[in-house]
Amino acid sequence: MATKNGSSRQFWRIFPLTVLSLVVLFCSCNAFVKELDDSFSSLMKEGSWLVEFYAPWCGYCKKLEPIWAEVGKTLHGSSITVAKLDATRYSALAKHFGIRGFPSIKFIKGKRVITFEGERTVQDFVQFAEKANRPAVTELKDVAQMERVKKEKSVCFFLVTSNDNPELSEKLKEVYFQVAENKVTQSYFYQIDQGALPEDDQVKAPAVIVSKDSSISMFEVSDNVTEESTLSGWVNNERFEAFVHVTRSNFHDITTTGKMMLLTVLAEQKSKKKMNERVSKIVKSVAVNERERFHRHFQFGWMLGDTIATNLMMSTMSAPFLMAYNSTNHVYYLKQYIEIKEEFTEQQLVSFLEDVLEGRAKGYGGDSYFQRFYRGIWELLRSIYEIWTTQPIAALLMFGFPLLVFSFLIYMLCIADSGPEEDDFEELEDEGAEFIDDKDGERELKATEEEFDPNPKPKTE
């Protein structure tokens, strides 16, 4: 008994300290996040800001609170201020930044305003802020710096300027800097003078080159380089590796290239590891070695697990498998597991890609009215499932209560008295009762004189 009392006392000593520690930890994390008001309209002109626009009633905003507090703690001490603003209270500021949903995350630095569209994790938020805060273009002094950058970055762009053609160099530089500003969070942009390159270098300046997949590709510069869209489109097509890792964070960005996606959907089971490696090796080889043939049409990529592919197909399939997806019309083509399980070669993949391009491959999905309706139902059910798994109480209030009210109304309609039946009228007629027809043609029981007696006699017992 004494042991139990001792344990109880020890528990009640430790419990308040534990709660207090958690409260202090939570408050200390929140201390790194600045709560903004309408004074932000003047504050935003100076410094770098990573701002969450939220609504007090938003469940997703509440779910983001601990993550956002950790982001503030991670970036504390840097030049980036992590903050939050109640968009329902300060609606003028929210309207200024085009806020339409909650939570919305934006990086703000002077005229540079960039919306976050990735996964809501601490790492993704921090990487986004650091990319958005850096200079759009970094100037390199020598070829050693250039080589180091090429080793560190999987994809990077270089503007090579030349003193031999200063007018064209200046025009290209202006367009290049504008493209880099618009895509500062999407890739890495550098500038180097041709004089810093080795004499045997084959780059004819002025030029824009991209380094990726252990090779160099060049943008064809013409005398008319004032069109930003031309260079921007080229950068957009080249900013991914030949065989890129596709995630929920970058899937939308990849679709903006306008290319079809050749997705290699790998199995999560360890027993299929060797098959995953074999298929990946074949697809990567075709992506790199057949660049001239397919680069304009396909962006090759891989993903572990079929979550994204399942949402696209609205069905499941055994992995690994290949999926060529056209984001413009939502048509997809399949190389199923049974077709690549035993024997699968580069030539078979090339034939499959050619069949897709020439319309010989069988397509699925599409953008018909039926597919749109089916997709709407699919996404609705998926949204309900996500809300249920993340916020079951909110799901009950949103769906359970209206369903309960609707069920009650249906029940009341079912048990409601619909009035006398024809058999009831016939039974009363047999007993001598008289009926009259009202204006609507409905039969009513005729009142007797006794029922309308103005001076009824009291009944005596």
Side-chain angles (χ1 to χ4, degrees), residues 95-340:
K95 185 178 180 181
H96 173 75
F97 288 105
I99 304 301
R100 296 183 178 180
F102 307 109
S104 289
I105 311 298
K106 288 184 180 290
F107 176 86
I108 303 165
K109 184 180 181 180
K111 295 182 178 180
R112 181 183 291 182
V113 179
I114 306 173
T115 303
F116 176 81
E117 296 179 345
E119 290 288 305
R120 292 172 183 171
T121 64
V122 175
Q123 182 181 3
D124 285 349
F125 281 132
V126 171
Q127 288 181 353
F128 165 77
E130 290 175 344
K131 287 180 179 179
N133 193 46
R134 69 193 179 198
V137 180
T138 303
E139 186 173 358
L140 305 178
K141 300 297 184 182
D142 52 48
V143 70
Q145 290 183 335
M146 184 178 183
E147 291 301 321
R148 184 166 59 251
V149 167
K150 287 163 65 176
K151 289 180 180 179
E152 293 175 353
K153 313 300 182 187
S154 58
V155 180
C156 50
F157 295 88
F158 299 93
L159 168 66
V160 183
T161 56
S162 171
N163 294 327
D164 297 336
N165 195 341
E167 185 178 351
L168 184 59
S169 290
E170 195 60 33
K171 287 182 180 179
L172 182 59
K173 181 179 178 179
E174 184 180 347
V175 175
Y176 180 79
F177 270 67
Q178 186 59 50
V179 171
E181 180 67 32
N182 294 336
K183 299 183 181 296
V184 64
T185 61
Q186 300 176 3
S187 194
Y188 298 90
F189 297 88
Y190 301 90
Q191 175 188 356
I192 190 169
D193 189 81
Q194 189 181 27
L197 301 179
E199 293 183 2
D200 59 347
D201 196 281
Q202 299 298 318
V203 177
K204 184 179 179 181
V208 178
I209 61 175
V210 58
S211 172
K212 65 176 184 178
D213 303 314
S214 303
S215 64
I216 294 289
S217 298
M218 188 179 302
F219 172 70
E220 295 183 5
V221 179
S222 62
D223 292 336
N224 183 19
V225 293
T226 56
E227 290 293 332
E228 179 193 337
S229 59
T230 305
L231 180 58
S232 179
W234 180 80
V235 169
N236 199 45
N237 285 337
E238 297 290 348
R239 65 190 179 96
F240 296 104
E241 300 171 81
F243 192 51
V244 67
H245 181 197
V246 181
T247 65
R248 291 178 64 180
S249 300
N250 65 8
F251 179 81
H252 174 73
D253 285 344
I254 296 174
T255 61
T256 61
T257 61
K259 303 177 186 178
M260 294 183 67
M261 299 173 64
L262 195 283
L263 301 174
T264 306
V265 184
L266 304 177
E268 295 180 292
Q269 299 94 322
K270 292 183 179 180
S271 59
K272 294 184 177 180
K273 182 179 178 180
K274 289 185 177 180
M275 188 182 302
N276 286 343
E277 293 174 350
R278 177 172 59 85
V279 174
S280 298
K281 184 178 179 180
I282 292 171
V283 177
K284 184 176 182 179
S285 177
V286 171
V288 175
N289 298 329
E290 300 289 343
R291 172 184 166 86
E292 297 298 325
R293 197 171 180 180
F294 296 116
H295 178 67
R296 291 192 306 109
H297 306 288
F298 291 100
Q299 173 60 57
F300 295 79
W302 65 274
M303 60 181 68
L304 186 62
D306 63 348
T307 303
I308 297 176
T310 297
N311 290 335
L312 296 176
M313 299 186 298
M314 295 180 287
S315 62
T316 58
M317 184 173 293
S318 297
F321 63 91
L322 303 181
M323 176 182 183
Y325 175 67
N326 189 338
S327 60
T328 59
N329 57 12
H330 304 290
V331 175
Y332 59 91
Y333 309 85
L334 296 172
K335 199 74 173 175
Q336 300 185 34
Y337 169 71
I338 193 170
E339 299 178 77
I340 63 176

Side-chain angles (χ1 to χ4, degrees), residues 4 82 168 335 388:
K4 290 183 178 180
V82 180
L168 184 59
K335 199 74 173 175
W388 174 256

Side-chain angles (χ1 to χ4, degrees), residues 362-377:
K362 181 180 179 180
Y364 303 89
D367 201 27
S368 64
Y369 288 109
F370 173 77
Q371 286 291 332
R372 292 180 187 179
F373 176 75
Y374 185 60
R375 180 166 293 280
I377 297 297

Side-chain angles (χ1 to χ4, degrees), residues 1-21:
M1 188 73 178
T3 304
K4 290 183 178 180
N5 290 335
S7 301
S8 178
R9 291 195 202 98
Q10 187 176 5
F11 171 79
W12 287 110
R13 287 175 186 169
I14 296 174
F15 180 73
L17 293 174
T18 304
V19 173
L20 181 61
S21 300

